């Protein structure tokens, strides 16, 4: 059965945001078009990797002779989105794999998020003998223009960086005044 595709070709909004306090935040990739809203949970590391890869793709496209796709170097004025996640935040699924692409026909960045796929241990054992292909039940597919992609990447970096401060000695995120760090061996 083909997967259910939650598709947004020109969303009104695409953001990464969080629910919860630093140290216990849940990250969400949220797409909205009109009253239609889809929220996909993801790991902070996934959000950071996505924003970094978007920046890399945009920089590569911008570096082409004459910048034929009009990729902005910075977030265009009016595209910054600092608003919180739209409510209600209802998790459609938790992202496992994600992919990023470029559609030269529409000049859009394409983001796909797939749910975590749980494989039965017996199936895994059997897969060692034969190759199996597992298709996800659903996918979030979002297409955004280059300016929106630049704004999305910046916001995602800002959201990810707004967590707990890092300890200047051990580099581990600090949980308030109760932080006790272990210094690296040989440190005096």
């Amino acid at each position: 059965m083909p997967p259910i595709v939650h598709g947004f070709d020109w969303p009104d909004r695409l953001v990464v945001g969080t629910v919860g306090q630093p140290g216990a935040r849940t990250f969400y990739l949220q797409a909205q078009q009109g009253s239609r809203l889809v929220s996909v949970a993801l790991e902070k590391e996934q959000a950071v990797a996505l924003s970094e890869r978007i920046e890399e793709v945009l920089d590569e496209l911008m570096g082409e002779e004459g910048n034929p796709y009009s990729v902005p170097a910075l977030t265009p004025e009016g595209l910054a989105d600092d608003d919180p996640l739209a409510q209600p935040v209802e998790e459609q699924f938790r992202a496992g794999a994600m992919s990023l692409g470029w559609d030269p026909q529409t000049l859009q960045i394409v983001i796909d998020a797939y749910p975590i796929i749980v494989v039965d241990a017996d199936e895994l054992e059997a897969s060692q003998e034969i190759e199996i292909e597992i298709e996800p039940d659903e996918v979030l597919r979002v297409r955004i223009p280059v300016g929106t992609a630049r704004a999305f990447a910046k916001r995602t970096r800002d959201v990810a960086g707004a967590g707990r401060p890092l300890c200047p000695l051990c580099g581990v995120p600090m949980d308030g005044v109760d932080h006790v760090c272990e210094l690296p061996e040989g440190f005096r």
Side-chain angles (χ1 to χ4, degrees):
M1 186 163 125
I4 297 168
V5 178
H6 306 283
F8 293 83
D9 288 341
W10 293 91
D12 298 330
R13 187 170 194 230
L14 177 69
V15 294
V16 165
T18 62
V19 172
Q21 296 300 313
R25 298 185 296 172
T26 301
F27 281 72
Y28 290 94
L29 173 63
Q30 190 176 73
Q32 184 173 18
Q33 194 162 11
S35 62
R36 193 167 148 241
L37 179 68
V38 174
S39 302
V40 172
L42 69 162
E43 297 297 323
K44 177 181 179 179
E45 292 78 14
Q46 287 175 299
V48 170
L50 179 62
S51 70
E52 289 172 352
R53 187 63 187 125
I54 287 173
E55 289 285 358
E56 289 172 13
V57 169
L58 292 174
D59 290 346
E60 287 173 21
L61 292 168
M62 188 175 73
E64 289 190 20
E65 190 173 328
N67 190 6
Y69 306 114
S70 301
V71 177
L74 301 171
T75 299
E77 192 173 319
L79 291 182
D81 183 344
D82 297 323
D83 292 336
L85 292 171
Q87 297 296 321
V89 178
E90 296 174 355
E91 183 178 312
Q92 185 68 40
F93 59 83
R94 177 164 286 282
M98 297 181 78
S99 68
L100 182 66
W102 168 249
D103 184 344
Q105 299 287 330
T106 62
L107 306 181
Q108 291 177 301
I109 295 288
V110 182
I111 301 167
D112 286 341
Y114 303 93
I116 294 173
I117 297 176
V118 179
V119 178
D120 183 298
D122 293 333
E123 286 181 50
L124 187 60
E125 243 177 68
S127 72
Q128 293 174 1
E129 298 167 17
I130 59 170
E131 190 174 313
I132 60 172
E133 191 171 312
I134 301 171
E135 192 168 326
D137 294 334
E138 56 189 326
V139 61
L140 170 64
R141 176 168 293 139
V142 184
R143 297 170 172 272
I144 53 175
V146 293
T148 302
R150 191 67 86 181
F152 171 83
K154 181 184 182 319
R155 177 197 165 106
T156 300
R157 281 192 320 274
D158 292 348
V159 167
R164 298 172 290 171
L166 299 179
C167 174
L169 297 174
C170 68
V172 173
M174 297 188 300
D175 288 319
V177 295
D178 298 334
H179 176 73
V180 177
C181 63
E182 294 181 27
L183 299 175
E185 280 189 39
F187 188 84
R188 295 179 187 257

